[in-house]
Amino acid sequence: VGINDYTRLNGEHIKDLQKLIGDSNVALDEEKREAYSYDEVARTYWEEDYLAEVVLFPETSAHVSSILKYAYDNYIPVTPRGAGTGLSGGAIPVEGGIVISFEKMNRIIEVDQKNLSITVEPGVVTAEITRAAREVDLFYAGDPCSGDASFIGGNVSENAGGNKVVKYGATGASVMALEVVLADGSVHWFGGKRRKDVTGYDLVHLFVGSEGTLGVITKIILKLVPLPGKVVDLLVPFPDSETAIDFVPRIIIEGKVIPSSIEFIDHNSLILAERYLNNTLPYDDAGAHLIIELEGSDPERLADEYERIGDLCMENGALEVFVADNRTMRDKLWKARKCIAEAIMAFYPRYSLEDIVVPTDKIPELLKGTEMICEKYGLKSPNFGHVGDGNVHVNLLFEEEPANWRQILYAALDDLYKLTYGLGGTLSGEHGIGLKRKKNTPLVLDEKIIEITKKIKSVFDPRNILNPGKIVP
Amino acid sequence: VGINDYTRLNGEHIKDLQKLIGDSNVALDEEKREAYSYDEVARTYWEEDYLAEVVLFPETSAHVSSILKYAYDNYIPVTPRGAGTGLSGGAIPVEGGIVISFEKMNRIIEVDQKNLSITVEPGVVTAEITRAAREVDLFYAGDPCSGDASFIGGNVSENAGGNKVVKYGATGASVMALEVVLADGSVHWFGGKRRKDVTGYDLVHLFVGSEGTLGVITKIILKLVPLPGKVVDLLVPFPDSETAIDFVPRIIIEGKVIPSSIEFIDHNSLILAERYLNNTLPYDDAGAHLIIELEGSDPERLADEYERIGDLCMENGALEVFVADNRTMRDKLWKARKCIAEAIMAFYPRYSLEDIVVPTDKIPELLKGTEMICEKYGLKSPNFGHVGDGNVHVNLLFEEEPANWRQILYAALDDLYKLTYGLGGTLSGEHGIGLKRKKNTPLVLDEKIIEITKKIKSVFDPRNILNPGKIVP
């Protein structure tokens, strides 16, 4: 259906929805509707305005089921929304209609030590899961930079990555099962408390990363792993990005370890972090820094290991190795790493935070190409990210703001995506396609794959009511 | 299309196929066609006979493409086949037609140290991948028991598990990208050399485990990890299965380590292995044994670790801890573990090797329930498997062979699957549904999920030519 075929909500619909889930769970005032119509992509990025017609706050799976049944019967678009920390416009209600916020579905249902799993509702804040697991001496490995605010439902729907993917995989690697409300309102479990399952197609991981376009997730069972006894971070300055990147596979091959994080911060990003935090970090004139995080159950063994990896760094062109082995130092380091996106948002009114991913060995070429794009369009680019998995947050900023900045930015992004594709990479590693990049998917997905994508969408959502206008044009 | 709608091959078709891929790549003699029409499910298990009309041996993706285009245009069923080590009848050509064997597409195309990946054709033997990775000091973690014979294409198509899933995940966890020939003969890459990708739906992992029903895989890019410097196996006898199983999560929680394997062998299975190998293993009167495998880069540290885990075993009811820290002892141990399925096949003419998976803490209940089923039907059940991920190979054997043995076996399997489902488990963890279990999928997948499965199948394969008659009824 096209936009004109959707039902616009009237007073009757609102009354029906209030009856279904209770008056206090239905928000109509414009301020709230606006607040729930955007994510962390700068509002100025969009050429149009978007506005939900109503925001709903279901408390149970049964509420979600009744909302979807109603929306399905009445051709009303439904956009599920986590904490709004997304960076692709995935939760923007492009076609108006209903936004479902999960903030009232925020229960941790069960921590199951015997089966090393935790069952949660989608509105639980990611960091709460880590905390609940820690209480029984277990660990939830999802660690997006926005983990103190983001909801796990959003993490699953975007297959969020973060700082520990190189060792533990992205969010999907921890997902064992999902309760999903399908477009017609029917409620189904996919998967179960099991670490293996080849009974039919892997629909669990088809839902993961599908941005709410195939169904609405109402419960999640996640894997837990052993709680690392001790964690140490190495901050390692290098003369330039290339030397730093070249070293990354050697950590794994010669160091014979998969660090829990291998993060990259280029010079521009480090300066931004320092300015934002009003703080300094060592060797801030270096071309690039790596953060290498190591975990272990035994402090002495871990000390051996970080010395070994430290030596390897120095043999491979590092300028120095700083060891952060206590909580205060580690927090300072990660604060610097995690604040860069915020710093960009604070200092630059016009920017785009990107999420491209390339084969790791192509990162130096990517950075060089990005420099040329910036020269061409008069932009600046601080780059940082998860170099252990090829996912670099290349970011484009305007130092000054030309009148046609939006067109310039769109053109620069087109160039950046083409560069990425040419290097064997793709548009997004962890932020999603959402609304922001959907016009670019034909660059990286061929016609047939886009056709398959649309057909799969229509298998699950024949009336196209679930988060319409996302992923593919 | 139903069976009567498929085209039966005549001389013209055979000539066309010979023209497309060369005379020497087309096999017509009945002996060969029969040999390529079964896998390792006992032939006697089936009530009917199956026979390919022709077996094709393509040498390139272009060959596969031309075969599929031809089959698509002419409504000919196509069943892709690995090494035939499957245990679910997944490679049986239920509707006749073409069987594609990948034994001539067995090249290792590239080992890419910088991106920690390996690119292979589907006909490469699994163990060859491990060997090629080892040459550049890296490790491929897939380790199915049949790895010395199985093809990687089959492993991907069934999402094979094996002995290292508890630490490294099943085959799919290592798959970064696939070249797939779709039903119409078009060739597409899904994914790339990247460890993260949220650009569109995760079609890569929809193909994984789809048993050749959605497309034919012609190239595979796999992740590699650090080569473990040193490996030690502990063989740990327990008085009974329950004590052994109860201990499993403690290894991870209290031991603060994810072993690379946690395998389970019950008393019946151990005796079978001893008889088959004409060898003895220590404590063969114990109720159950665990094999716990630990890896480390440093021998001294690893020795600390296995002593710590050994102590934990003894504190949790183990009768003894035997350490296999050299190649000879480890090989002996794994030979015993890996031969059990072969031993069953050798000693019992009538049996079913099963692959159910339940939440780990439900394994003792599963074993008790299995005992009751065996009593009811006059069967014997040696049980073993990958207890670290809840996947137990419960096996049903006839000590004697009643005339109606097949009906008894089918009825016992129905009971076993119901028991499994009641415990929160499912039909298959790693062997697949294939032909063998497709009639049972409605027990564990609800009507709507089966409908979705069929519709997804028809998105990829509208003429139902790809491995028809598998997964769902």
Side-chain angles (χ1 to χ4, degrees), chain B residues 113-136:
Chain B
Q113 229 190 344
K114 283 199 170 182
N115 292 302
L116 305 167
S117 73
I118 186 165
T119 306
V120 299
E121 289 184 327
V124 176
V125 171
T126 315
E128 288 300 321
I129 298 176
T130 313
R131 250 186 294 269
R134 192 178 291 267
E135 272 174 29
V136 296

mmCIF file of all heavy atoms in Angstrom, chain B residues 113-136:
data_model
loop_
_atom_site.group_PDB
_atom_site.id
_atom_site.type_symbol
_atom_site.label_atom_id
_atom_site.label_comp_id
_atom_site.label_asym_id
_atom_site.label_seq_id
_atom_site.Cartn_x
_atom_site.Cartn_y
_atom_site.Cartn_z
ATOM 1 N N GLN B 113 45.199 -13.865 5.665
ATOM 2 C CA GLN B 113 45.659 -13.688 7.033
ATOM 3 C C GLN B 113 45.246 -12.321 7.579
ATOM 4 O O GLN B 113 44.842 -12.201 8.725
ATOM 5 C CB GLN B 113 47.187 -13.809 7.039
ATOM 6 C CG GLN B 113 47.704 -14.758 8.096
ATOM 7 C CD GLN B 113 49.215 -14.669 8.232
ATOM 8 O OE1 GLN B 113 49.902 -14.135 7.355
ATOM 9 N NE2 GLN B 113 49.742 -15.184 9.311
ATOM 10 N N LYS B 114 45.350 -11.297 6.723
ATOM 11 C CA LYS B 114 45.074 -9.937 7.200
ATOM 12 C C LYS B 114 43.620 -9.759 7.618
ATOM 13 O O LYS B 114 43.320 -8.971 8.502
ATOM 14 C CB LYS B 114 45.413 -8.923 6.105
ATOM 15 C CG LYS B 114 46.899 -8.682 5.987
ATOM 16 C CD LYS B 114 47.177 -7.384 5.270
ATOM 17 C CE LYS B 114 48.655 -7.030 5.385
ATOM 18 N NZ LYS B 114 48.952 -5.751 4.751
ATOM 19 N N ASN B 115 42.726 -10.458 6.943
ATOM 20 C CA ASN B 115 41.314 -10.339 7.318
ATOM 21 C C ASN B 115 40.803 -11.577 8.051
ATOM 22 O O ASN B 115 39.611 -11.740 8.246
ATOM 23 C CB ASN B 115 40.465 -10.063 6.077
ATOM 24 C CG ASN B 115 40.751 -8.694 5.513
ATOM 25 O OD1 ASN B 115 40.603 -7.691 6.217
ATOM 26 N ND2 ASN B 115 41.185 -8.629 4.260
ATOM 27 N N LEU B 116 41.738 -12.423 8.477
ATOM 28 C CA LEU B 116 41.410 -13.594 9.290
ATOM 29 C C LEU B 116 40.255 -14.384 8.675
ATOM 30 O O LEU B 116 39.250 -14.663 9.327
ATOM 31 C CB LEU B 116 41.045 -13.153 10.719
ATOM 32 C CG LEU B 116 42.099 -12.304 11.441
ATOM 33 C CD1 LEU B 116 41.508 -11.679 12.691
ATOM 34 C CD2 LEU B 116 43.328 -13.115 11.800
ATOM 35 N N SER B 117 40.423 -14.700 7.384
ATOM 36 C CA SER B 117 39.339 -15.402 6.699
ATOM 37 C C SER B 117 39.887 -16.396 5.689
ATOM 38 O O SER B 117 41.055 -16.322 5.296
ATOM 39 C CB SER B 117 38.427 -14.394 6.001
ATOM 40 O OG SER B 117 39.071 -13.860 4.866
ATOM 41 N N ILE B 118 39.041 -17.314 5.280
ATOM 42 C CA ILE B 118 39.400 -18.294 4.269
ATOM 43 C C ILE B 118 38.219 -18.416 3.305
ATOM 44 O O ILE B 118 37.068 -18.410 3.733
ATOM 45 C CB ILE B 118 39.773 -19.654 4.911
ATOM 46 C CG1 ILE B 118 40.284 -20.655 3.870
ATOM 47 C CG2 ILE B 118 38.614 -20.251 5.691
ATOM 48 C CD1 ILE B 118 40.990 -21.863 4.486
ATOM 49 N N THR B 119 38.521 -18.465 1.995
ATOM 50 C CA THR B 119 37.467 -18.581 0.988
ATOM 51 C C THR B 119 37.592 -19.946 0.320
ATOM 52 O O THR B 119 38.672 -20.299 -0.165
ATOM 53 C CB THR B 119 37.610 -17.468 -0.065
ATOM 54 O OG1 THR B 119 37.636 -16.211 0.613
ATOM 55 C CG2 THR B 119 36.444 -17.478 -1.042
ATOM 56 N N VAL B 120 36.501 -20.696 0.328
ATOM 57 C CA VAL B 120 36.558 -22.072 -0.175
ATOM 58 C C VAL B 120 35.363 -22.393 -1.059
ATOM 59 O O VAL B 120 34.338 -21.719 -1.016
ATOM 60 C CB VAL B 120 36.582 -23.087 0.995
ATOM 61 C CG1 VAL B 120 37.804 -22.898 1.878
ATOM 62 C CG2 VAL B 120 35.307 -22.996 1.839
ATOM 63 N N GLU B 121 35.519 -23.445 -1.829
ATOM 64 C CA GLU B 121 34.385 -23.999 -2.565
ATOM 65 C C GLU B 121 33.672 -25.029 -1.669
ATOM 66 O O GLU B 121 34.266 -25.531 -0.710
ATOM 67 C CB GLU B 121 34.877 -24.652 -3.862
ATOM 68 C CG GLU B 121 35.349 -23.604 -4.873
ATOM 69 C CD GLU B 121 35.767 -24.203 -6.214
ATOM 70 O OE1 GLU B 121 36.291 -25.340 -6.229
ATOM 71 O OE2 GLU B 121 35.565 -23.536 -7.233
ATOM 72 N N PRO B 122 32.413 -25.342 -1.999
ATOM 73 C CA PRO B 122 31.624 -26.184 -1.078
ATOM 74 C C PRO B 122 32.111 -27.624 -0.958
ATOM 75 O O PRO B 122 31.798 -28.304 0.012
ATOM 76 C CB PRO B 122 30.213 -26.143 -1.674
ATOM 77 C CG PRO B 122 30.350 -25.621 -3.059
ATOM 78 C CD PRO B 122 31.588 -24.809 -3.094
ATOM 79 N N GLY B 123 32.931 -28.093 -1.927
ATOM 80 C CA GLY B 123 33.363 -29.480 -1.883
ATOM 81 C C GLY B 123 34.643 -29.718 -1.098
ATOM 82 O O GLY B 123 35.171 -30.837 -1.094
ATOM 83 N N VAL B 124 35.148 -28.689 -0.420
ATOM 84 C CA VAL B 124 36.348 -28.890 0.394
ATOM 85 C C VAL B 124 35.978 -29.679 1.648
ATOM 86 O O VAL B 124 34.961 -29.400 2.291
ATOM 87 C CB VAL B 124 36.972 -27.532 0.789
ATOM 88 C CG1 VAL B 124 38.165 -27.733 1.709
ATOM 89 C CG2 VAL B 124 37.379 -26.747 -0.454
ATOM 90 N N VAL B 125 36.800 -30.685 1.969
ATOM 91 C CA VAL B 125 36.577 -31.468 3.192
ATOM 92 C C VAL B 125 36.867 -30.574 4.401
ATOM 93 O O VAL B 125 37.864 -29.847 4.422
ATOM 94 C CB VAL B 125 37.481 -32.725 3.197
ATOM 95 C CG1 VAL B 125 37.438 -33.438 4.544
ATOM 96 C CG2 VAL B 125 37.050 -33.674 2.075
ATOM 97 N N THR B 126 35.996 -30.621 5.395
ATOM 98 C CA THR B 126 36.091 -29.743 6.557
ATOM 99 C C THR B 126 37.502 -29.728 7.165
ATOM 100 O O THR B 126 38.063 -28.670 7.438
ATOM 101 C CB THR B 126 35.057 -30.160 7.622
ATOM 102 O OG1 THR B 126 33.817 -30.401 6.959
ATOM 103 C CG2 THR B 126 34.881 -29.089 8.671
ATOM 104 N N ALA B 127 38.070 -30.913 7.353
ATOM 105 C CA ALA B 127 39.379 -31.003 7.998
ATOM 106 C C ALA B 127 40.471 -30.300 7.176
ATOM 107 O O ALA B 127 41.471 -29.831 7.727
ATOM 108 C CB ALA B 127 39.755 -32.464 8.232
ATOM 109 N N GLU B 128 40.271 -30.212 5.846
ATOM 110 C CA GLU B 128 41.245 -29.515 4.990
ATOM 111 C C GLU B 128 41.289 -28.025 5.307
ATOM 112 O O GLU B 128 42.322 -27.370 5.154
ATOM 113 C CB GLU B 128 40.882 -29.693 3.511
ATOM 114 C CG GLU B 128 41.128 -31.077 2.969
ATOM 115 C CD GLU B 128 42.592 -31.485 3.080
ATOM 116 O OE1 GLU B 128 43.475 -30.633 2.854
ATOM 117 O OE2 GLU B 128 42.851 -32.650 3.433
ATOM 118 N N ILE B 129 40.159 -27.493 5.697
ATOM 119 C CA ILE B 129 40.089 -26.065 6.047
ATOM 120 C C ILE B 129 40.874 -25.807 7.322
ATOM 121 O O ILE B 129 41.668 -24.864 7.414
ATOM 122 C CB ILE B 129 38.613 -25.632 6.185
ATOM 123 C CG1 ILE B 129 37.907 -25.825 4.844
ATOM 124 C CG2 ILE B 129 38.505 -24.189 6.659
ATOM 125 C CD1 ILE B 129 36.432 -25.534 4.881
ATOM 126 N N THR B 130 40.669 -26.682 8.287
ATOM 127 C CA THR B 130 41.415 -26.576 9.537
ATOM 128 C C THR B 130 42.918 -26.644 9.250
ATOM 129 O O THR B 130 43.706 -25.861 9.784
ATOM 130 C CB THR B 130 41.000 -27.717 10.495
ATOM 131 O OG1 THR B 130 39.577 -27.784 10.502
ATOM 132 C CG2 THR B 130 41.514 -27.476 11.907
ATOM 133 N N ARG B 131 43.305 -27.569 8.370
ATOM 134 C CA ARG B 131 44.725 -27.732 8.021
ATOM 135 C C ARG B 131 45.269 -26.489 7.327
ATOM 136 O O ARG B 131 46.351 -26.000 7.658
ATOM 137 C CB ARG B 131 44.899 -28.939 7.092
ATOM 138 C CG ARG B 131 45.612 -30.105 7.748
ATOM 139 C CD ARG B 131 45.892 -31.213 6.726
ATOM 140 N NE ARG B 131 44.645 -31.814 6.248
ATOM 141 C CZ ARG B 131 44.070 -32.886 6.814
ATOM 142 N NH1 ARG B 131 44.638 -33.492 7.835
ATOM 143 N NH2 ARG B 131 42.938 -33.369 6.348
ATOM 144 N N ALA B 132 44.515 -25.953 6.361
ATOM 145 C CA ALA B 132 44.991 -24.776 5.612
ATOM 146 C C ALA B 132 45.135 -23.563 6.532
ATOM 147 O O ALA B 132 46.079 -22.775 6.398
ATOM 148 C CB ALA B 132 44.021 -24.469 4.469
ATOM 149 N N ALA B 133 44.222 -23.431 7.459
ATOM 150 C CA ALA B 133 44.284 -22.305 8.402
ATOM 151 C C ALA B 133 45.505 -22.443 9.307
ATOM 152 O O ALA B 133 46.239 -21.475 9.553
ATOM 153 C CB ALA B 133 43.006 -22.243 9.231
ATOM 154 N N ARG B 134 45.732 -23.652 9.747
ATOM 155 C CA ARG B 134 46.861 -23.929 10.645
ATOM 156 C C ARG B 134 48.196 -23.532 10.003
ATOM 157 O O ARG B 134 49.117 -23.102 10.685
ATOM 158 C CB ARG B 134 46.850 -25.424 11.003
ATOM 159 C CG ARG B 134 47.764 -25.828 12.128
ATOM 160 C CD ARG B 134 47.613 -27.324 12.414
ATOM 161 N NE ARG B 134 46.319 -27.632 12.985
ATOM 162 C CZ ARG B 134 46.097 -27.688 14.307
ATOM 163 N NH1 ARG B 134 47.074 -27.495 15.162
ATOM 164 N NH2 ARG B 134 44.894 -27.962 14.764
ATOM 165 N N GLU B 135 48.275 -23.683 8.688
ATOM 166 C CA GLU B 135 49.523 -23.331 7.995
ATOM 167 C C GLU B 135 49.894 -21.869 8.141
ATOM 168 O O GLU B 135 51.053 -21.495 8.017
ATOM 169 C CB GLU B 135 49.395 -23.669 6.501
ATOM 170 C CG GLU B 135 49.810 -25.099 6.221
ATOM 171 C CD GLU B 135 49.545 -25.499 4.779
ATOM 172 O OE1 GLU B 135 49.584 -24.611 3.903
ATOM 173 O OE2 GLU B 135 49.280 -26.696 4.550
ATOM 174 N N VAL B 136 48.899 -21.009 8.350
ATOM 175 C CA VAL B 136 49.214 -19.592 8.588
ATOM 176 C C VAL B 136 48.918 -19.229 10.036
ATOM 177 O O VAL B 136 48.614 -18.079 10.355
ATOM 178 C CB VAL B 136 48.458 -18.648 7.629
ATOM 179 C CG1 VAL B 136 48.886 -18.896 6.187
ATOM 180 C CG2 VAL B 136 46.943 -18.815 7.771
#
